[in-house]
Amino acid sequence: MTMKAIQKPSAEAGFKLIDTDKPSIGPDDVLIKVSTASICGTDLHITEWDQWSASRIKPPLVYGHEFCGIIDEVGANVADYHVGDYVSAEMHLPCRTCYQCMTGHFHICENCKIFGIDLDGCFAEFVKIPQWQLVKIPKSIPPEYGACLDSLGNAVHALSKGNVSGKSVLITGCGPVGLFAIRVAQALGATRVFASDISPYRLEMAKKAGATQVVDATQVTVSDEVKQLTRGRGADVVLEMSGSPIAIKDAFKALRLAGTIVLFGICASPVELNLNEDIIFKEARIIGCNGREIFQTWYLMLQLLESGKLDIDFIITHKFPLEDFGQALDLIASGNSGKVILTP
Amino acid sequence: MTMKAIQKPSAEAGFKLIDTDKPSIGPDDVLIKVSTASICGTDLHITEWDQWSASRIKPPLVYGHEFCGIIDEVGANVADYHVGDYVSAEMHLPCRTCYQCMTGHFHICENCKIFGIDLDGCFAEFVKIPQWQLVKIPKSIPPEYGACLDSLGNAVHALSKGNVSGKSVLITGCGPVGLFAIRVAQALGATRVFASDISPYRLEMAKKAGATQVVDATQVTVSDEVKQLTRGRGADVVLEMSGSPIAIKDAFKALRLAGTIVLFGICASPVELNLNEDIIFKEARIIGCNGREIFQTWYLMLQLLESGKLDIDFIITHKFPLEDFGQALDLIASGNSGKVILTP
Amino acid sequence: MTMKAIQKPSAEAGFKLIDTDKPSIGPDDVLIKVSTASICGTDLHITEWDQWSASRIKPPLVYGHEFCGIIDEVGANVADYHVGDYVSAEMHLPCRTCYQCMTGHFHICENCKIFGIDLDGCFAEFVKIPQWQLVKIPKSIPPEYGACLDSLGNAVHALSKGNVSGKSVLITGCGPVGLFAIRVAQALGATRVFASDISPYRLEMAKKAGATQVVDATQVTVSDEVKQLTRGRGADVVLEMSGSPIAIKDAFKALRLAGTIVLFGICASPVELNLNEDIIFKEARIIGCNGREIFQTWYLMLQLLESGKLDIDFIITHKFPLEDFGQALDLIASGNSGKVILTP
Amino acid sequence: MTMKAIQKPSAEAGFKLIDTDKPSIGPDDVLIKVSTASICGTDLHITEWDQWSASRIKPPLVYGHEFCGIIDEVGANVADYHVGDYVSAEMHLPCRTCYQCMTGHFHICENCKIFGIDLDGCFAEFVKIPQWQLVKIPKSIPPEYGACLDSLGNAVHALSKGNVSGKSVLITGCGPVGLFAIRVAQALGATRVFASDISPYRLEMAKKAGATQVVDATQVTVSDEVKQLTRGRGADVVLEMSGSPIAIKDAFKALRLAGTIVLFGICASPVELNLNEDIIFKEARIIGCNGREIFQTWYLMLQLLESGKLDIDFIITHKFPLEDFGQALDLIASGNSGKVILTP
């Protein structure tokens, strides 16, 4: 039996909508019929075949790594999941034997593989996933939300590391993960959430997300604005989600003494820091953040969604059938979208 | 110059409304004109002259330890506070030289004295306080709230220790501190807040506070109810605020594996615990909680109030002039009140 | 092919040395030739067929759950372990799908099974273990130590939870895990280690372990002694490893304000605590402790052993061939032994 | 009555040995007869009148900020200290009213003044100190050690933040604080301590301190060496105490995934970091460290010294009478000394 899928056919720019065999599963796998998938910035890079993609991806590859769906078939060893279960999956596949995996840090496994990057992914009618990667999703969470759990999880993970309850938070960078972070920060008890960006569309979205104050970095120096909003003290916590060296250097200035900055946004280039003023004298804490904790982040995220404290409807701005993947990519490239959902 | 005050005149039940000299201040003191004060259960015990009071209080004493006001006079060494400043004060006076004080635990000072218990308190037109005990209050916080910061602080402190962000919380006992705790838990990012009590009045107040679910412990076993509300898992965090041995024993059962229980309510008698089932096998964490951190709790509380995330209006059910202290006490003794405010 | 093993043949007191088939392994299992095994108090209970054993054990069962050995055969899916590897294993088998397992608390899995209790164990020439339970042991660690890693791990886990670096520690109860704990506390940077027991043999062993001060609880009140040794302050951390209600009640008194008590010893009966004095007013922290973290504890333990900071030679007092299991049990029952090693 | 003192008389290089009036004390002060003092790199900068000194110091000033002594006189309000008490003092004077002071971070006070820099210091026969700055020293700690508590405290503070118990530690930079750190790391339970520097004298001192492995950064790349020593994993914790941009960049490479790096050494210039590789992907934690916690660090330090776990004799290489301050400075400038003690 065949299925539709979005494939990177060869080592060059572009993609192909193909008909291909449904994956056959092993004893520890499940086959999932994809309900919805979501497009990440990485998928744009893969399509454009940038330097990173060229160095990592081995075509042919079905890509896509954000989705949810219904279990269609289960392997012989699978006891806790059943046909018909509504699930999503952690697409970072840990080796489970390296030091990091053995000590509870699966999400920074030394030998991590990623579905949709190193292994066939979810831009398809069906996707094959090992049972240990699955997360059951409560019915009360709609499939459009289910497709966003990977990137929403990035925001939840970053916020957990920042420990924002009862604190003022600055989020620098309002791409999808930054926008999620605004809502998650509120849900986790941040007292005030300041959000900065340089794009009018994203600043508008940040307002919709409910940021206490939106700061246009093309008009003011963000750290000055944040200090003014905090009686000169600075933000208790900063979440850096822009990856922009200029924003990062200024983010350190916006942080209060003894504050915490979580670095999440990937930087295009190294960043020069004044360690004395920015870190040492103020006893700042800098925390690197990668992926999602497996599965602490997922359970926290589901608890937030189920409780009704976290609503992410505002961020889902567009939906396309899988066949219109090209159009969806163009939209994302324009910068004028929130999360874009595909339905196979 | 004289002032009105509520005094415990001698070692027996009762109180006296007196005219007395305005306190004269030393070089490190300020004199505060009391705007509002609030009555605590302790004030009822002192009036009734229970066993604890008889063993600790040395009459004559002006009592009361929850208030806010305006600075009327400052001592010679006082540089950071000025006549006209709007302040409240931490009424636990640490010695500042014991091991606890020297290592940042002022609130569990080995030689702690308390204004309104060991030293003259705030049920008066004026109160004298050493400058190191003061906290400036932003104008946006009304004096009725200002009178509640001591007991609101108990709730904020207990919640901080519980680390409730993103967690389900059970609060056992809905007296004033328990009621505050419901609101504070929501503000600090608890996903769901269950609240139990045996008094219909308090359960009604808990609903007004916005508890996700109110549990009447006269009708059901609280732990059963909480397990049903959490798919059998139990609450992530329990705040014990009843002091009832029955409630406490059940609270341990309501706690999930690896959960945290914060003990705040003073118990009338020792409690028999099954350490194996209640603590060891489930790797529970039990945290004792006393007073408020000096001044971490205060600053967190003010940040919550100022941000608008925390509103405590619902709990202030009655106001009396200082002269009607007796009536106010009767009301509190009836159990049918929230916080009761006095205005001198 | 057959092998020798110690078996509980039927639901009554006693054991049997049997010849039985070598276990046959599945694709995710390894077969390990047991080098050394060690006897735990639990094995005595199983032999004596106490109430707990009768309620849990389903004979026939090969018991024993502390061992190390050499891999003899690997299943088809096993890639990271090889014939000849020197290994031990975590004998608590987590389900890997419950909430605790999914959130990094494998060691308090809701559906945990234990080799040697629920499944055939290691008192045999060969034992079959799933690959996910294995830990590779460096060659520098002798097989006698390798047999002790399960109970040494209990001590390491308890100490980790107590966070003893730079602190004074009281260990109540000097059975094997308590004795290990003395050494581990020193290795992890405790400044002083006080150890109490009621058995002369164990107090002597505690001295050999290097306790700063050994306290004979038949002669003095332990809390009095500890206070005297700490200028009246009490111990910073207490590890409760006796399970004795008298010791536990006194342990709370020996703890300083804002101290931490880790409960590990299983109690024969409930314990009545004065929550006000013992926990609330002093802001004590009580932490339940069970098993070993999978595998954080194991890696920490190996790092301590390999560094040379932790030496456990003193505790291994006797060795027997597997055939003399009965004699070994008698010795343990007498209370006059440290760890007793079996060699199949 | 007059006393000898080392003074910066005017805004230019040099110092002067003067006779001056003994300080007169206020009601909250004590006057201390200095037993021993110790010279810090800062004292060299002040003498040489570098850019930093010129911008901060207001001559005339008696400098020196590391000492211990005997109380000679107490102010009217001083109840807890007495003539004859053996004390040292925290020389960072917090304002006690800023946000940092009010929330337990006295050591990063926004308005901090330092004795010996902003106020007259301890290179004198007598020094005046407010009572809130004092720490009583047990008699078992000799005055030579008492003079080192300020810089030893830096090491203890940095190590506390690094949480090194049971971990491998790399210390980059073996000046006096780095050398102390080697010993403190061992005392606090580090399993292995690697130490790097470029000076043969300091590397030799690091060996004397008992580093597990000393790494000469002029001969090898430190991160390569550390990886080889840790099976490719990297150090669990890094303490950066060199202030050298080259060492710092390499220190990030020497850190393992999910490791912690404490930054203490002041950098001469900004440092360019690859945030992706050095922090984000590996989820590193960077912690700025300044001064000493007031007084948590002091009590931890005294507990380590008193327990006998920490011996600092090896580092005290030279002693001079106060009159030979010039000679002592020359020695320090040569780089070939440990701590240099002055006796007034």
Side-chain angles (χ1 to χ4, degrees):
Chain A
M1 221 191 110
T2 67
M3 66 173 191
K4 283 176 295 178
I6 299 295
Q7 192 197 52
K8 166 65 62 176
S10 55
E12 60 191 327
F15 72 91
K16 197 170 162 189
L17 177 68
I18 58 166
D19 264 292
T20 183
D21 287 343
K22 255 174 68 172
S24 59
I25 63 172
D28 278 311
D29 295 324
V30 306
L31 188 73
I32 303 165
K33 183 161 180 16
V34 176
S35 302
T36 54
S38 177
I39 304 177
C40 169
T42 306
D43 301 318
L44 194 61
H45 298 319
I46 295 174
T47 306
E48 292 173 343
W49 203 244
D50 71 357
Q51 201 179 353
W52 169 82
S53 305
S55 72
R56 175 136 178 193
I57 309 273
K58 310 285 171 231
L61 176 88
V62 173
Y63 50 117
H65 58 271
E66 309 188 354
F67 83 104
C68 67
I70 304 294
I71 293 180
D72 193 67
E73 194 185 337
V74 301
N77 295 342
V78 177
D80 293 296
Y81 298 94
H82 305 280
V83 171
D85 282 356
Y86 176 31
V87 296
S88 183
E90 170 58 52
M91 298 293 257
H92 286 213
L93 179 70
C95 73
R96 289 198 283 157
T97 55
C98 75
Y99 176 76
Q100 296 302 329
C101 285
M102 294 289 271
T103 56
H105 292 106
F106 299 107
H107 68 298
I108 46 169
C109 169
E110 296 166 20
N111 312 301
C112 180
K113 287 186 178 152
I114 305 179
F115 288 93
I117 289 176
D118 306 304
L119 302 161
D120 280 342
C122 67
F123 289 161
E125 286 179 276
F126 294 90
V127 59
K128 174 180 80 170
I129 303 284
Q131 62 169 323
W132 310 117
Q133 303 298 116
L134 299 176
V135 180
K136 279 184 195 163
I137 309 294
K139 298 278 185 226
S140 62
I141 296 175
E144 286 75 16
Y145 290 23
C148 296
L149 297 177
D150 182 285
S151 51
L152 177 59
N154 289 143
V156 171
H157 181 202
L159 265 312
S160 308
K161 283 186 172 267
N163 196 15
V164 297
S165 175
K167 304 222 177 93
S168 63
V169 179
L170 165 64
I171 296 169
T172 50
C174 297
V177 180
L179 291 171
F180 280 130
I182 293 169
R183 280 275 163 100
V184 176
Q186 305 269 18
L188 289 174
T191 49
R192 291 190 294 165
V193 181
F194 315 124
S196 66
D197 206 300
I198 55 173
S199 141
Y201 181 89
R202 290 180 164 181
L203 289 166
E204 197 51 44
M205 288 290 282
K207 271 184 211 158
K208 277 191 197 146
T212 315
Q213 183 83 20
V214 161
V215 185
D216 183 344
T218 67
Q219 300 299 313
V220 294
T221 300
V222 176
S223 59
D224 290 347
E225 190 75 7
V226 168
K227 286 203 170 155
Q228 206 175 342
L229 290 162
T230 55
R231 295 178 184 145
R233 194 188 294 163
D236 294 331
V237 179
V238 175
L239 259 72
E240 207 308 295
M241 301 208 145
S242 74
S244 148
I246 293 168
I248 291 170
K249 290 178 78 154
D250 188 54
F252 278 87
K253 307 215 176 317
L255 186 69
R256 77 154 161 83
L257 290 173
T260 296
I261 180 163
V262 178
L263 297 180
F264 178 83
I266 306 304
C267 300
S269 61
V271 179
E272 197 182 72
L273 294 175
N274 180 333
L275 302 184
N276 300 353
E277 295 299 331
D278 291 342
I279 302 182
I280 296 172
F281 295 148
K282 73 202 288 187
E283 289 211 339
R285 233 165 226 281
I286 322 305
I287 301 177
C289 179
N290 181 61
R292 294 149 302 279
E293 285 197 294
I294 303 170
F295 291 91
Q296 292 89 325
T297 302
W298 287 85
Y299 278 76
L300 172 52
M301 176 164 58
L302 293 177
Q303 189 150 324
L304 287 167
L305 287 168
E306 277 198 279
S307 72
K309 290 259 169 168
L310 177 61
D311 175 57
I312 57 171
D313 204 51
F314 79 102
I315 207 179
I316 299 169
T317 53
H318 302 81
K319 288 186 213 179
F320 292 90
L322 188 62
E323 288 84 350
D324 296 342
F325 180 67
Q327 263 178 268
L329 275 183
D330 290 345
L331 177 66
I332 285 171
S334 79
N336 292 333
S337 66
K339 288 301 283 183
V340 175
I341 304 293
L342 295 176
T343 49
Chain B
M1 222 189 110
T2 66
M3 67 172 192
K4 287 176 292 179
I6 300 295
Q7 193 197 52
K8 165 65 61 177
S10 55
E12 61 191 327
F15 71 91
K16 197 170 162 190
L17 177 68
I18 59 166
D19 266 294
T20 183
D21 288 343
K22 252 174 70 171
S24 61
I25 64 172
D28 278 313
D29 294 327
V30 305
L31 188 72
I32 302 165
K33 183 161 179 16
V34 175
S35 302
T36 54
S38 178
I39 305 177
C40 170
T42 307
D43 301 317
L44 194 62
H45 298 318
I46 295 173
T47 306
E48 293 171 346
W49 203 244
D50 70 358
Q51 200 180 352
W52 169 82
S53 304
S55 73
R56 173 132 180 195
I57 309 273
K58 311 284 171 234
L61 176 88
V62 174
Y63 51 119
H65 58 272
E66 307 189 356
F67 83 105
C68 66
I70 304 293
I71 293 181
D72 194 65
E73 194 186 337
V74 301
N77 295 342
V78 177
D80 293 296
Y81 298 95
H82 305 281
V83 171
D85 282 355
Y86 175 32
V87 295
S88 182
E90 170 57 53
M91 298 295 258
H92 285 214
L93 179 69
C95 74
R96 289 199 281 158
T97 55
C98 75
Y99 175 75
Q100 297 301 328
C101 285
M102 293 289 271
T103 55
H105 292 107
F106 299 107
H107 69 296
I108 47 171
C109 169
E110 295 166 23
N111 311 301
C112 180
K113 287 185 177 153
I114 305 180
F115 290 93
I117 289 176
D118 306 303
L119 302 160
D120 280 343
C122 67
F123 289 162
E125 286 179 277
F126 294 90
V127 61
K128 174 181 81 170
I129 302 285
Q131 61 169 323
W132 310 119
Q133 303 297 116
L134 300 176
V135 180
K136 281 184 193 162
I137 309 293
K139 299 277 185 229
S140 62
I141 297 175
E144 287 76 14
Y145 290 21
C148 295
L149 297 178
D150 183 286
S151 50
L152 177 60
N154 290 144
V156 172
H157 182 201
L159 265 310
S160 307
K161 283 186 173 272
N163 195 16
V164 297
S165 175
K167 305 222 178 92
S168 62
V169 179
L170 166 65
I171 295 169
T172 52
C174 298
V177 180
L179 291 171
F180 280 130
I182 294 169
R183 279 277 162 101
V184 176
Q186 305 269 21
L188 288 174
T191 49
R192 292 191 292 166
V193 181
F194 316 123
S196 67
D197 205 299
I198 55 174
S199 143
Y201 182 88
R202 290 180 165 184
L203 289 166
E204 197 51 45
M205 288 289 282
K207 272 183 210 157
K208 277 191 196 143
T212 315
Q213 183 83 20
V214 161
V215 184
D216 184 343
T218 66
Q219 301 299 313
V220 294
T221 300
V222 175
S223 59
D224 290 347
E225 190 75 7
V226 167
K227 286 205 170 154
Q228 204 174 346
L229 290 162
T230 56
R231 297 180 182 144
R233 194 188 294 165
D236 295 329
V237 179
V238 175
L239 259 72
E240 206 309 294
M241 301 209 145
S242 73
S244 149
I246 294 168
I248 291 171
K249 291 178 78 152
D250 188 54
F252 277 88
K253 306 215 176 317
L255 186 68
R256 78 154 161 84
L257 290 174
T260 296
I261 180 161
V262 178
L263 297 180
F264 177 83
I266 306 304
C267 301
S269 61
V271 179
E272 198 182 71
L273 293 175
N274 180 333
L275 302 184
N276 301 351
E277 295 299 331
D278 290 344
I279 301 181
I280 297 172
F281 295 148
K282 73 201 289 187
E283 289 213 338
R285 231 164 227 283
I286 322 305
I287 301 177
C289 179
N290 180 62
R292 292 150 302 280
E293 284 195 297
I294 302 171
F295 293 92
Q296 291 89 325
T297 302
W298 287 85
Y299 278 75
L300 171 53
M301 175 164 59
L302 294 177
Q303 188 150 326
L304 287 167
L305 287 168
E306 277 197 280
S307 72
K309 291 257 168 170
L310 176 62
D311 175 57
I312 57 172
D313 204 51
F314 80 102
I315 207 179
I316 300 168
T317 53
H318 300 83
K319 288 186 212 182
F320 293 90
L322 188 62
E323 289 83 351
D324 295 343
F325 180 66
Q327 264 179 265
L329 275 183
D330 290 345
L331 177 66
I332 285 171
S334 77
N336 292 333
S337 65
K339 288 301 283 181
V340 175
I341 304 292
L342 295 175
T343 49
Chain C
M1 224 189 106
T2 66
M3 66 172 193
K4 287 175 292 178
I6 300 295
Q7 193 197 53
K8 166 66 62 178
S10 55
E12 61 191 327
F15 71 92
K16 196 169 163 192
L17 177 68
I18 58 165
D19 266 292
T20 182
D21 288 342
K22 254 175 68 172
S24 59
I25 62 172
D28 278 312
D29 295 327
V30 305
L31 188 73
I32 302 165
K33 181 159 179 23
V34 176
S35 303
T36 54
S38 177
I39 304 178
C40 169
T42 307
D43 301 318
L44 194 61
H45 299 319
I46 294 174
T47 306
E48 292 171 345
W49 204 244
D50 71 358
Q51 201 179 352
W52 169 83
S53 304
S55 73
R56 174 134 179 195
I57 309 273
K58 310 286 171 232
L61 175 88
V62 173
Y63 52 119
H65 58 272
E66 308 188 354
F67 84 103
C68 66
I70 305 292
I71 293 181
D72 193 66
E73 194 186 338
V74 300
N77 295 342
V78 177
D80 293 296
Y81 298 95
H82 304 282
V83 171
D85 282 356
Y86 175 32
V87 296
S88 182
E90 170 58 52
M91 298 294 258
H92 286 214
L93 179 70
C95 74
R96 290 198 280 156
T97 54
C98 75
Y99 176 75
Q100 297 301 329
C101 285
M102 293 290 270
T103 56
H105 292 106
F106 299 106
H107 68 296
I108 47 170
C109 168
E110 296 166 21
N111 311 302
C112 181
K113 286 185 178 153
I114 305 180
F115 289 92
I117 289 176
D118 306 304
L119 302 160
D120 280 342
C122 66
F123 289 162
E125 287 180 273
F126 294 89
V127 60
K128 175 180 80 172
I129 302 285
Q131 62 169 324
W132 311 118
Q133 303 297 115
L134 299 177
V135 180
K136 279 183 196 163
I137 309 294
K139 298 277 183 226
S140 61
I141 297 175
E144 287 75 14
Y145 290 22
C148 294
L149 298 178
D150 183 285
S151 50
L152 176 60
N154 289 145
V156 172
H157 182 201
L159 264 311
S160 308
K161 283 185 172 270
N163 196 14
V164 297
S165 174
K167 305 222 179 92
S168 61
V169 180
L170 166 64
I171 296 169
T172 51
C174 298
V177 180
L179 291 172
F180 279 130
I182 294 170
R183 279 275 163 102
V184 176
Q186 305 269 20
L188 289 174
T191 49
R192 291 191 293 166
V193 181
F194 315 124
S196 67
D197 205 301
I198 55 173
S199 142
Y201 181 88
R202 290 180 164 183
L203 290 165
E204 197 52 45
M205 287 289 284
K207 271 183 210 159
K208 278 192 196 143
T212 315
Q213 183 83 22
V214 161
V215 185
D216 183 344
T218 66
Q219 301 299 313
V220 295
T221 300
V222 176
S223 59
D224 290 347
E225 190 75 7
V226 167
K227 287 205 169 153
Q228 205 174 343
L229 290 163
T230 55
R231 297 180 181 142
R233 193 188 294 164
D236 295 329
V237 180
V238 176
L239 258 73
E240 208 308 293
M241 301 209 145
S242 74
S244 148
I246 294 169
I248 291 171
K249 291 179 78 153
D250 188 54
F252 278 88
K253 306 215 176 317
L255 186 68
R256 77 155 161 82
L257 290 174
T260 296
I261 181 162
V262 178
L263 297 180
F264 177 83
I266 306 303
C267 300
S269 61
V271 179
E272 198 183 71
L273 293 174
N274 180 333
L275 301 184
N276 301 352
E277 295 298 331
D278 290 344
I279 302 181
I280 297 172
F281 296 148
K282 72 200 291 185
E283 290 211 338
R285 229 164 229 281
I286 322 305
I287 301 178
C289 179
N290 181 61
R292 292 151 303 279
E293 284 195 296
I294 303 171
F295 292 92
Q296 290 90 326
T297 302
W298 287 84
Y299 278 76
L300 172 53
M301 175 164 58
L302 293 177
Q303 188 150 327
L304 288 167
L305 287 168
E306 277 199 280
S307 73
K309 290 258 169 170
L310 176 62
D311 175 56
I312 57 172
D313 204 51
F314 79 103
I315 208 179
I316 300 169
T317 54
H318 301 80
K319 289 185 212 179
F320 292 90
L322 187 63
E323 288 83 351
D324 295 342
F325 180 67
Q327 264 180 267
L329 274 183
D330 290 346
L331 177 66
I332 286 172
S334 78
N336 292 333
S337 65
K339 287 301 281 182
V340 175
I341 305 292
L342 295 175
T343 49
Chain D
M1 223 190 106
T2 65
M3 67 172 191
K4 284 174 296 177
I6 300 294
Q7 192 197 53
K8 165 66 61 176
S10 56
E12 61 191 326
F15 71 91
K16 197 170 163 190
L17 176 70
I18 59 167
D19 266 292
T20 183
D21 288 342
K22 255 175 67 172
S24 60
I25 64 173
D28 278 312
D29 294 326
V30 306
L31 188 72
I32 302 165
K33 182 160 177 21
V34 175
S35 302
T36 53
S38 178
I39 304 178
C40 170
T42 307
D43 301 317
L44 193 62
H45 299 319
I46 295 175
T47 306
E48 292 172 345
W49 204 244
D50 70 357
Q51 201 179 352
W52 169 82
S53 305
S55 72
R56 174 133 179 197
I57 309 273
K58 309 285 171 233
L61 175 88
V62 173
Y63 51 117
H65 58 271
E66 307 189 356
F67 84 104
C68 67
I70 304 293
I71 293 180
D72 193 66
E73 194 186 338
V74 301
N77 294 343
V78 177
D80 293 296
Y81 297 95
H82 305 281
V83 171
D85 282 356
Y86 176 31
V87 295
S88 182
E90 170 58 51
M91 298 294 258
H92 286 214
L93 179 70
C95 73
R96 290 199 282 157
T97 54
C98 74
Y99 176 76
Q100 297 302 329
C101 284
M102 293 289 271
T103 54
H105 291 107
F106 299 107
H107 69 296
I108 45 169
C109 168
E110 296 166 21
N111 312 301
C112 180
K113 286 187 178 152
I114 305 179
F115 289 93
I117 289 176
D118 306 304
L119 302 160
D120 279 343
C122 67
F123 289 161
E125 286 179 276
F126 294 90
V127 59
K128 175 180 81 170
I129 302 284
Q131 62 169 323
W132 310 118
Q133 304 297 116
L134 299 176
V135 180
K136 280 184 195 162
I137 309 293
K139 298 278 185 226
S140 62
I141 296 175
E144 286 76 14
Y145 290 21
C148 295
L149 298 177
D150 182 285
S151 50
L152 177 60
N154 290 144
V156 172
H157 182 202
L159 265 312
S160 308
K161 283 185 173 270
N163 196 18
V164 296
S165 175
K167 304 222 178 94
S168 62
V169 180
L170 166 65
I171 296 171
T172 51
C174 297
V177 180
L179 291 172
F180 279 131
I182 293 169
R183 279 276 163 99
V184 176
Q186 305 269 18
L188 288 174
T191 49
R192 292 191 292 166
V193 181
F194 315 123
S196 67
D197 205 300
I198 55 173
S199 142
Y201 182 89
R202 291 180 164 181
L203 289 166
E204 196 52 44
M205 289 289 283
K207 273 183 209 159
K208 278 191 197 144
T212 315
Q213 182 84 19
V214 162
V215 185
D216 184 343
T218 66
Q219 301 299 315
V220 294
T221 300
V222 175
S223 58
D224 290 346
E225 190 75 7
V226 168
K227 286 203 170 154
Q228 206 175 343
L229 290 162
T230 55
R231 295 178 182 146
R233 194 188 293 164
D236 294 331
V237 179
V238 175
L239 260 73
E240 206 309 294
M241 301 209 145
S242 73
S244 147
I246 293 168
I248 291 170
K249 291 179 78 155
D250 188 54
F252 278 88
K253 306 215 176 317
L255 186 70
R256 78 154 161 83
L257 290 174
T260 296
I261 180 161
V262 178
L263 297 180
F264 177 83
I266 306 304
C267 301
S269 61
V271 179
E272 198 182 70
L273 293 175
N274 180 333
L275 303 184
N276 300 353
E277 295 298 332
D278 290 344
I279 302 181
I280 297 173
F281 295 147
K282 72 202 288 186
E283 288 212 338
R285 235 163 223 282
I286 322 304
I287 301 178
C289 178
N290 181 60
R292 293 150 302 279
E293 285 196 296
I294 302 171
F295 291 92
Q296 292 89 325
T297 303
W298 287 84
Y299 278 75
L300 172 52
M301 176 164 58
L302 294 177
Q303 188 149 327
L304 287 168
L305 287 168
E306 278 198 279
S307 72
K309 290 259 169 170
L310 177 62
D311 176 56
I312 58 172
D313 204 51
F314 80 101
I315 207 179
I316 300 170
T317 53
H318 302 81
K319 287 186 213 180
F320 293 89
L322 187 62
E323 289 83 350
D324 295 341
F325 181 66
Q327 264 179 267
L329 274 183
D330 290 345
L331 177 66
I332 286 171
S334 78
N336 292 333
S337 65
K339 287 302 282 183
V340 175
I341 304 293
L342 295 175
T343 50

